[in-house]
Amino acid sequence: MRIFDTSRRRLRRTALPPRLVGLITFSFALLGLGVVTYAASLPSLIQVAQRTEERGFADAFVEGLFGSGALVGGASQSVGSDDGAQTGEAAADGSTSSEDGHAGGLTLGGVAFEQVISGVVGGGASGASSAPSASGSTGAGAGPNAPGGSHGNASGTTTPAPEPAPPVEVPTEPAVTEEQERQFYNALSASAGRINGYVGEINGITAAFNNDCMADANTRGARATQAASLRDRLVNEYIHVRDEILVANDSRYKAAQGDLIGMYRLLATYAGVVHSSWQYAGNPDTVNTGIDAIRRAQGAELAEFQQVYGRFSL
């Protein structure tokens, strides 16, 4: 009996006070609630992170493909692009004629663009800023001391001229057959037939910015997503015409391919500017920054698009 009494007294001395037991239980309950809350919110946090990462990748891709002007910050320099080089070569030999007899050829026409509003608050839009003019070359005057100028030989000896390099043999492509020409025509015609539909969507995202640039956050987010989707589809069309429709250099449709590449590039760049401008929407202090960027793109990309569109012919 004495042994059992001693054990009971020891257990009573080592038992925790009721208050301490309640505090420990409450702490574990809070810990469990925090774990459950974090687990419930984890999927949405991952989704937000993925959307942010995808949006950043898409902007970086467009900027790398078309130049820094594809996003807000200025109109891109379209001169000297890859499609311009292709068009220049074909136009030099007068290959823009459509003496092909394929359904009388294909021309485009009838587009009109939605104009962006001039300002939202207090007429604060500064308007389309004029692009800085190219600085004239500051070439040094001719003379023996000018960079790259000729220097006399003090010793009076003449240096023998280097031997000319042997001519490089350029392999010639086989003549383009009429069957190939028909294939080129059909592929380019299918892509050109989608241009007017994309112009309608360009007007749609421009009108959306006009109407909803000061709307609630959910509406602005949906409009920005719409612009990004259009930009991505235009980029896909651009890559398709440039890399998948392999028109021979001697084809009568080479110039038309260059123009079609240029039109998709210009529309994709403009859609990228509209998408990027949504980051300034919703705030009266910054919204005009986005408006100015769109107006500059209308004066650059869309103006050049209309020129190419007007001359396009298959």
Side-chain angles (χ1 to χ4, degrees):
M1 290 295 293
R2 184 171 297 177
I3 294 175
F4 290 112
D5 292 341
T6 303
S7 299
R8 291 194 188 96
R9 285 195 296 270
R10 288 178 179 175
L11 289 173
R12 283 195 296 271
R13 283 197 295 267
T14 57
L16 296 175
R19 292 182 179 178
L20 184 57
V21 173
L23 181 60
I24 293 175
T25 303
F26 180 71
S27 300
F28 275 103
L30 288 179
L31 179 61
L33 181 62
V35 171
V36 172
T37 303
Y38 175 76
S41 62
L42 187 59
S44 61
L45 294 175
I46 294 175
Q47 187 177 12
V48 170
Q50 288 177 342
R51 288 179 179 176
T52 302
E53 182 178 357
E54 290 173 358
R55 186 163 54 247
F57 172 78
D59 287 345
F61 176 76
V62 172
E63 186 171 355
L65 190 63
F66 300 136
S68 59
L71 302 177
V72 171
S76 65
Q77 299 297 324
S78 58
V79 179
S81 61
D82 50 0
D83 52 281
Q86 294 188 32
T87 307
E89 293 179 1
D93 59 6
S95 60
T96 57
S97 62
S98 57
E99 300 173 359
D100 53 316
H102 290 300
L106 172 68
T107 57
L108 301 175
V111 301
F113 286 105
E114 178 84 11
Q115 295 297 316
V116 72
I117 50 182
S118 60
V120 174
V121 287
S126 59
S129 59
S130 58
S133 59
S135 59
S137 60
T138 57
N145 295 325
S150 60
H151 297 274
N153 194 327
S155 63
T157 59
T158 59
T159 303
E163 296 182 359
V168 179
E169 294 184 1
V170 180
T172 58
E173 296 183 353
V176 181
T177 65
E178 284 301 315
E179 176 61 27
Q180 290 176 315
E181 293 285 31
R182 279 192 293 271
Q183 293 175 358
F184 300 152
Y185 175 86
N186 292 336
L188 294 174
S189 176
S191 182
R194 295 189 286 270
I195 283 285
N196 284 352
Y198 282 120
V199 170
E201 293 189 62
I202 287 289
N203 284 333
I205 63 172
T206 305
F209 195 91
N210 283 340
N211 298 329
D212 299 328
C213 61
M214 296 301 292
D216 60 274
N218 290 335
T219 300
R220 298 198 312 270
R223 299 306 191 194
T225 301
Q226 179 186 9
S229 173
L230 176 58
R231 174 204 61 195
D232 294 344
R233 285 184 285 122
L234 287 167
V235 169
N236 289 337
E237 290 278 6
Y238 164 84
I239 294 175
H240 168 67
V241 179
R242 188 192 68 177
D243 297 343
E244 298 177 11
I245 303 179
L246 304 178
V247 179
N249 291 329
D250 294 336
S251 170
R252 66 173 67 99
Y253 300 117
K254 190 62 177 177
Q257 183 196 27
D259 284 343
L260 195 56
I261 291 172
M263 285 190 286
Y264 277 120
R265 174 182 58 81
L266 294 165
L267 291 181
T269 302
Y270 177 80
V273 172
V274 175
H275 170 250
S276 298
S277 295
W278 280 105
Q279 64 184 301
Y280 301 104
N283 186 342
D285 295 331
T286 61
V287 65
N288 285 329
T289 301
I291 293 173
D292 287 346
I294 296 176
R295 294 180 67 199
R296 287 195 298 270
Q298 288 182 333
E301 277 75 21
L302 292 192
E304 183 179 354
F305 171 87
Q306 288 180 309
Q307 293 178 356
V308 180
Y309 182 94
R311 71 169 182 256
F312 179 82
S313 177
L314 272 177

